Amino acid sequence: MAKSRLIGDYPVIGIRPTIDGRRGVLKVRESLEEQTMNMAKSAAKLFEDNLRYSNGDPVKVVIADTTIGRVAEAAACQAKFEKEGVAITLTVTPCWCYGSETMDMDRNTIKAVWGFNGTERPGAVYLASVLATHAQKGLPAFGIYGHEVCEADDTSIPADVEEKLLRFGRAAVAVATMRGKSYLQIGSVTMGIGGSIMDQDFIESYLGMRVESIDEVEIIRRMSENIYDEEEYQKALKWTKENCPEGFDKNPEFIQKSPEQKEKDWEFIVKMMCIIKDLYNGNPNLPEGCEEEAVGHNAIVGGFQGQRQWTDFYPNCDFPEAMLNTSFDWNGPRETYVLATENDALNGLGMLFMKLLTNRAQMFADVRTYWSASACKRATGYEITGKAKEADGFIHLINSGACCLDACGEVKDENGNGVIKPWYEMTEEDMQACLKATTWNAADNGYFRGGGYSSRFLTRAEMPATMIRLNLVKGLGPVLQIAEGWTVNLPDEVSDILWKRTDYTWPCTWFSPRCDGKEGSPFKTAYDVMNNWGANHGAISYGHIGADLITMCSMLRIPVCMHNVPEEKIFRPAAWNAFGMDKEGADYRACKNFGPFYKK
């Protein structure tokens, strides 16, 4: 659908149809060939029809040339997969097979096994046997076994099996896509924020990525020496003037910039966005003599320090951050970038996880304030209802303009509900809805002495949402928090009263997590969620995708320390069952035991 911005091919899924190797007079193997290969074809079609890479293309799936009954065929399959770039394997079978001979022994692939639930042949026996062998050899695999017995000639995929196959596929493609790419930090630590203290070993060992670091002065150098695409810049500036209206200026008149100074700020921040794009992925259209700069850093995610050395002197990065995180720009709909404000790499990586799972724009926000039902009524006279009432309040998600414009909720589905669409489904009407809901207000001079502009909108839709935070804990390593919930649509007059108590020029979203009311639970109320949150920032995605995140984290060996995902949706490798009956404790122990995927 769109050319990949990144160097390297997208990960391929390989299907391994394994079979009973016995031949002889009764032709055991021969009688199973068609059924086994049909399972592989059904799985391949499911993946191809439902999974997409971040550039919008359907995932590529290859099937072994033959069924795999003995080790020679397993070796032939692996040889093919290595040539095809397979990073993910699904082994399928309706019958007994020779486990250690037919299993995927490649330590670099992400693995699952689907054993058909039928009565004619013991597919479940093979599944249990080979999963035990995977665990014994330290090669964790996801086990998939349908709840209901199926007929031998049934080529359909049961709903519960389909759900697990797609959850595995989405998570595995996301994990494998990150491999070999870069986190680009522009600047360094922002105002002492721990998330912007770069831990290169974590990024290398757990994610298979590398860290690229440049000073913010590189942006000034490129501006000063005209190392940017002039045609692209002029196109971007014209589009910005036509589509990004200025809002009110909250600063006292004596420090407000003149119209001429504001015009120069607009030129600066638009040029800044063009340059950051070039830093991420290069640009073949840079001036002659700039061949080195044209290469880029192969960045799939990054962050911009900004405060305070930059923002005390230059216009802030809110416009580039907001627009790069949005699903469109002057060239129309396009794959979103991920650019973390304040170079909070841990939040940026959380945004990346969810972008790769959903292909949607991601929100970056402060987890700013908890409003209880009583506090809201005291301040506004309003009695909260719906999801907010169920959670006894809501959390104010707000930051200085880095949030994607898609989060305004003005894009609607066929039923009129607010949504954040995958980028390749965005229309001109959708883009205009986001732009018309957003003003660009002069930056607060108390925060940003150098000026600039912050995006400003109010999320006026109730949308399903998942908020996460990736944290690093000394002695423990990485952990992830997940809170599924909904954005809350408060009456405008109520929002205004609460919003004005903080910065009224920043994008505003109210969020209520799904709570259980249980004493001692981090999800008793919205207050308890915020009180247990591990950092000042959160990454927020459209949809309830916590189950996919849990599956993804198990692949990365990152334990999930807090979540409100329904128990029946949790899907981890079968080996996790050997680490105890308490699911969260078992997750910690398994992740520690198997260790980071890329640390050899």
Side-chain angles (χ1 to χ4, degrees), residues 167-404:
R167 179 152 294 134
F168 167 78
R170 276 191 299 270
V173 168
V175 167
T177 298
M178 292 188 289
R179 185 184 299 172
K181 311 306 188 299
S182 304
Y183 182 99
L184 175 63
Q185 65 163 345
I186 305 172
S188 185
V189 180
T190 300
M191 300 187 299
I193 292 174
S196 59
I197 300 172
M198 193 60 59
D199 187 322
Q200 296 201 24
D201 181 63
F202 161 65
I203 291 174
E204 293 166 5
S205 298
Y206 282 86
L207 309 181
M209 293 170 54
R210 64 194 301 156
V211 175
E212 291 282 285
S213 301
I214 61 171
D215 196 285
E216 293 168 312
V217 76
E218 174 65 7
I219 292 173
I220 299 302
R221 183 183 78 88
R222 293 193 181 206
M223 286 186 181
S224 301
E225 299 185 6
N226 299 317
I227 306 174
Y228 56 88
D229 185 337
E230 179 66 29
E231 183 178 340
E232 177 83 354
Y233 164 63
Q234 292 298 338
K235 181 180 181 181
L237 186 62
K238 180 177 184 295
W239 180 88
T240 300
K241 289 179 177 179
E242 293 171 353
N243 292 280
C244 300
E246 283 190 34
F248 60 85
D249 189 337
K250 64 174 281 189
N251 295 297
E253 286 189 17
F254 74 93
I255 58 169
Q256 289 184 10
K257 292 192 175 186
S258 68
E260 293 76 21
Q261 289 173 315
K262 288 182 176 181
E263 180 69 20
K264 290 186 182 300
D265 278 2
W266 275 113
E267 294 172 0
F268 186 98
I269 61 179
V270 172
K271 193 174 294 183
M272 189 176 170
M273 177 172 170
C274 293
I275 289 171
I276 291 173
K277 287 175 68 176
D278 295 346
L279 287 165
Y280 264 50
N281 304 117
N283 187 341
N285 300 318
L286 297 186
E288 186 177 349
C290 301
E291 288 76 17
E292 184 178 355
E293 291 86 351
V295 173
H297 291 269
N298 197 33
I300 195 172
V301 57
F304 185 84
Q305 177 189 338
Q307 298 184 75
R308 285 196 32 214
Q309 291 85 346
W310 178 276
T311 55
D312 278 3
F313 190 57
Y314 293 115
N316 65 20
C317 193
D318 284 9
F319 177 81
E321 288 168 0
M323 289 308 306
L324 286 167
N325 287 327
T326 294
S327 61
F328 60 88
D329 59 19
W330 48 87
N331 292 315
R334 54 105 175 98
E335 180 183 349
T336 62
Y337 293 78
V338 178
L339 179 61
T341 195
E342 297 168 342
N343 190 35
D344 185 344
L346 296 179
N347 216 52
L349 290 167
M351 293 168 70
L352 176 64
F353 291 177
M354 297 194 291
K355 174 209 161 171
L356 294 175
L357 287 171
T358 67
N359 290 331
R360 303 175 197 264
Q362 301 299 310
M363 298 174 62
F364 183 113
D366 279 353
V367 184
R368 178 63 69 103
T369 309
Y370 162 70
W371 283 95
S372 67
S374 57
C376 179
K377 187 171 183 179
R378 186 181 70 249
T380 67
Y382 177 70
E383 191 85 48
I384 61 175
T385 61
K387 302 297 184 186
K389 185 175 182 179
E390 291 172 13
D392 188 28
F394 49 87
I395 297 169
H396 197 181
L397 303 178
I398 187 169
N399 198 273
S400 61
C403 186
C404 62

Side-chain angles (χ1 to χ4, degrees), residues 32-260:
L32 294 163
E33 288 282 357
E34 184 177 1
Q35 183 186 5
T36 304
M37 194 56 81
N38 281 341
M39 276 187 74
K41 291 175 181 177
S42 295
K45 186 176 188 306
L46 180 72
F47 288 145
E48 291 167 341
D49 289 349
N50 291 279
L51 302 181
R52 295 195 185 208
Y53 297 124
S54 61
N55 75 333
D57 285 344
V59 298
K60 181 181 178 182
V61 183
V62 297
I63 302 175
D65 292 333
T66 68
T67 55
I68 301 167
R70 302 302 298 261
V71 72
E73 290 150 335
C77 172
Q78 182 167 348
K80 175 180 180 176
F81 284 4
E82 287 174 353
K83 290 178 183 177
E84 294 282 358
V86 168
I88 303 149
T89 65
L90 173 68
T91 299
V92 302
T93 190
C95 59
W96 168 255
C97 315
Y98 303 158
S100 63
E101 290 192 34
T102 60
M103 66 187 284
D104 175 12
M105 290 282 287
D106 187 344
R107 292 192 170 272
N108 296 314
T109 57
I110 304 167
K111 305 167 181 62
V113 185
W114 172 25
F116 185 73
N117 185 357
T119 56
E120 288 77 9
R121 296 285 178 177
V125 178
Y126 167 73
L127 177 63
S129 173
V130 79
L131 289 175
T133 308
H134 273 284
Q136 188 172 336
K137 294 179 179 293
L139 300 169
F142 290 80
I144 301 170
Y145 179 61
H147 190 271
E148 301 296 331
V149 172
C150 298
E151 301 306 316
D153 59 353
D154 189 350
T155 58
S156 64
I157 301 178
D160 61 326
V161 171
E162 178 177 306
E163 182 178 2
K164 288 183 176 180
L165 286 172
L166 291 178
R167 179 152 294 134
F168 167 78
R170 276 191 299 270
V173 168
V175 167
T177 298
M178 292 188 289
R179 185 184 299 172
K181 311 306 188 299
S182 304
Y183 182 99
L184 175 63
Q185 65 163 345
I186 305 172
S188 185
V189 180
T190 300
M191 300 187 299
I193 292 174
S196 59
I197 300 172
M198 193 60 59
D199 187 322
Q200 296 201 24
D201 181 63
F202 161 65
I203 291 174
E204 293 166 5
S205 298
Y206 282 86
L207 309 181
M209 293 170 54
R210 64 194 301 156
V211 175
E212 291 282 285
S213 301
I214 61 171
D215 196 285
E216 293 168 312
V217 76
E218 174 65 7
I219 292 173
I220 299 302
R221 183 183 78 88
R222 293 193 181 206
M223 286 186 181
S224 301
E225 299 185 6
N226 299 317
I227 306 174
Y228 56 88
D229 185 337
E230 179 66 29
E231 183 178 340
E232 177 83 354
Y233 164 63
Q234 292 298 338
K235 181 180 181 181
L237 186 62
K238 180 177 184 295
W239 180 88
T240 300
K241 289 179 177 179
E242 293 171 353
N243 292 280
C244 300
E246 283 190 34
F248 60 85
D249 189 337
K250 64 174 281 189
N251 295 297
E253 286 189 17
F254 74 93
I255 58 169
Q256 289 184 10
K257 292 192 175 186
S258 68
E260 293 76 21

